[in-house]
Amino acid sequence: MSSKKVEKIQSALVSWKVDGIIITNVINCRWVSGFTGSNCTLVITANEALLGTDFRYWEQAANQAPDFELIKMGKTDDLAKTIDLVEAAKVKRLGFEANHMTVSTYSSLKRQSDDVGYTKLIPLNSKLEQMRYVKSADELEKIKASARITDLVMGRVNDIVKPGMTEKAVAWELEKQIRENGADGTAFNIIVAAGLNGSMAHHRPSDYQLKEGDTIIVDMGALLDGWHSDLTRTFFLGNAPDDKFSAVYDLVHMAQKNALKHIKAGMLGTEIDYLAREVIEDAGHGEKFGHSLGHGVGLNIHEGPSFSTSFNKEIPAGAVMSVEPGVYLPDWGGVRIEDLVVVTEDGFEYLSHCPKNPIINI
């Protein structure tokens, strides 16, 4: 797989108007090379693929990235290893990840390139991230495996949650079960937001004790072999939800269904976002849905593309996306419903299969 990605980057160098690219972001390094170490810099030219790392990872890099020439370096800072690789590559126009490289590293690299006189630095913004939009069949299977764990654990919330438990206790129990079911860890810090805390979209679990009548947002994902999943369900703690919970929950669910009904490749991210947003706006809660409808999921929990008011670009087939409308009311709580899908030419495929059973009987 890494050789195909190298070839894809080499084919793009001409259109990027560079002779090579230096890759310093650890996630992009992993995506391109397969190397999972924390110290990695790549230089790819039309004829070379170089990987630099320190002694801790030489054997690992050789095993994980056999398509790359290994440049053995000391355990030095990013600047030193970057300069060494650039000197090894000897390219005239070197693209760099302008959205990742620090000003300090750039400044020093610029001085070095000026000294040798043959390298001009060309900023490339998010070129590799855009390549990562479309998941390969192998990548998609890894995300599906992560999503299966999340589905399984989320499906147990109705049995796990009891009155008197704290948000922290619920989050810890869910994290344990995610790990016990094969994940390397959680994709992000699990969100458990009960009662009034549900009005904060990214509330961190607290010592708040759950009580009958609470609305509870649970947002979690599994991390498996570097790949993430993301899933949110909203629950009512009690046998008979009140009218307000039912109204807000049904509104959010309807907004999600309206977006999913129309999603397909080639639509603009803004268009898909609006399909859900207009339902919530028509109900008078437009200002209470303050985040985007969804984001890409892969080696990062949040990556491109996005269903948002600002992503005025086409969504490609093969993009793995969250679809997560929400309504957040400060004097009451909140509701968010999120599923993971992969966009196809004529629609989408669910990657999330956990039922939506909001009632937690007590």
Side-chain angles (χ1 to χ4, degrees):
M1 291 302 296
S2 61
S3 61
K4 291 182 180 179
K5 290 169 182 173
V6 170
E7 291 171 2
K8 187 174 182 180
I9 292 171
Q10 289 173 328
S11 298
L13 293 176
V14 173
S15 64
W16 294 346
K17 299 181 180 179
V18 297
D19 303 309
I21 181 174
I22 187 164
I23 302 170
T24 53
N25 175 262
V26 66
I27 297 298
N28 285 336
C29 285
R30 175 174 183 161
W31 179 77
V32 175
S33 69
F35 174 57
T36 61
S38 62
N39 182 353
C40 177
T41 298
L42 307 180
V43 172
I44 296 175
T45 70
N47 302 308
E48 293 180 299
L50 311 177
L51 186 158
T53 190
D54 66 75
F55 171 80
R56 298 172 298 169
Y57 298 115
W58 291 348
E59 185 175 356
Q60 178 182 340
N63 291 332
Q64 291 183 328
D67 299 320
F68 284 74
E69 178 185 347
L70 177 62
I71 307 297
K72 294 182 177 181
M73 298 179 178
K75 188 178 178 184
T76 57
D77 60 20
D78 286 344
L79 170 61
K81 67 184 180 185
T82 296
I83 290 173
D84 287 346
L85 279 180
V86 171
E87 289 182 334
K90 290 184 171 58
V91 296
K92 293 182 178 179
R93 293 174 59 84
L94 180 69
F96 68 96
E97 298 175 289
N99 51 322
H100 296 301
M101 185 175 287
T102 66
V103 173
S104 175
T105 299
Y106 171 80
S107 298
S108 298
L109 187 59
K110 178 74 164 59
R111 286 195 299 270
Q112 180 76 4
S113 63
D114 289 345
D115 288 343
V116 298
Y118 57 72
T119 302
K120 182 178 181 180
L121 301 179
I122 309 297
L124 299 176
N125 291 312
S126 303
K127 296 296 186 182
L128 296 180
E129 284 82 356
Q130 291 169 25
M131 285 185 170
R132 286 166 46 194
Y133 285 178
V134 177
K135 276 38 179 193
S136 68
D138 179 64
E139 292 168 346
L140 187 56
E141 286 304 312
K142 292 178 179 178
I143 296 173
K144 286 180 177 180
S146 176
R148 284 194 291 270
I149 296 173
T150 309
D151 281 339
L152 175 65
V153 177
M154 185 71 83
R156 295 174 177 174
V157 169
N158 297 73
D159 297 320
I160 291 171
V161 172
K162 307 293 181 187
M165 292 182 72
T166 65
E167 292 173 335
K168 286 182 179 179
V170 174
W172 176 237
E173 182 60 33
L174 296 175
E175 179 172 349
K176 286 191 295 182
Q177 294 213 18
I178 283 176
R179 290 178 178 273
E180 288 169 357
N181 281 281
D184 300 319
T186 59
F188 51 90
N189 292 329
I190 293 173
I191 294 171
V192 179
L196 297 180
N197 293 332
S199 66
M200 296 177 282
H202 275 194
H203 169 72
R204 298 184 68 175
S206 70
D207 292 321
Y208 174 80
Q209 291 185 312
L210 280 58
K211 64 181 187 300
E212 183 176 0
D214 276 345
T215 296
I216 309 167
I217 295 175
V218 177
D219 187 347
M220 65 180 177
L223 177 63
L224 183 63
D225 193 25
W227 296 89
H228 298 73
S229 55
D230 200 357
L231 180 68
T232 305
R233 294 289 184 261
T234 300
F235 302 88
F236 180 85
L237 185 55
N239 301 323
D242 56 33
D243 291 342
K244 188 162 189 176
F245 174 86
S246 297
V248 178
Y249 186 94
D250 290 347
L251 172 65
V252 173
H253 195 193
M254 181 167 41
Q256 188 197 45
K257 289 190 291 186
N258 194 53
L260 289 170
K261 182 171 65 175
H262 298 284
I263 284 177
K264 63 179 179 179
M267 292 185 67
L268 303 180
T270 51
E271 294 176 325
I272 298 172
D273 178 274
Y274 184 69
L275 288 169
R277 198 167 301 278
E278 67 175 337
V279 174
I280 294 174
E281 288 177 346
D282 289 347
H285 289 308
E287 294 184 357
K288 305 304 181 182
F289 176 25
H291 56 73
S292 64
L293 174 64
H295 55 85
V297 175
L299 285 173
N300 286 118
I301 186 60
H302 291 96
E303 58 183 47
S306 69
F307 300 147
S308 68
T309 57
S310 60
F311 195 85
N312 195 32
K313 301 174 184 178
E314 292 186 359
I315 305 296
V320 172
M321 307 292 299
S322 70
V323 184
E324 50 179 305
V327 170
Y328 310 92
L329 306 174
D331 59 346
W332 178 75
V335 172
R336 180 165 68 251
I337 301 172
E338 174 187 24
D339 288 292
L340 206 57
V341 304
V342 56
V343 179
T344 64
E345 292 290 349
D346 56 359
F348 71 94
E349 174 191 346
Y350 274 113
L351 302 186
S352 299
H353 300 284
C354 179
K356 298 177 177 70
N357 295 326
I359 309 306
I360 301 176
N361 292 305
I362 58 176

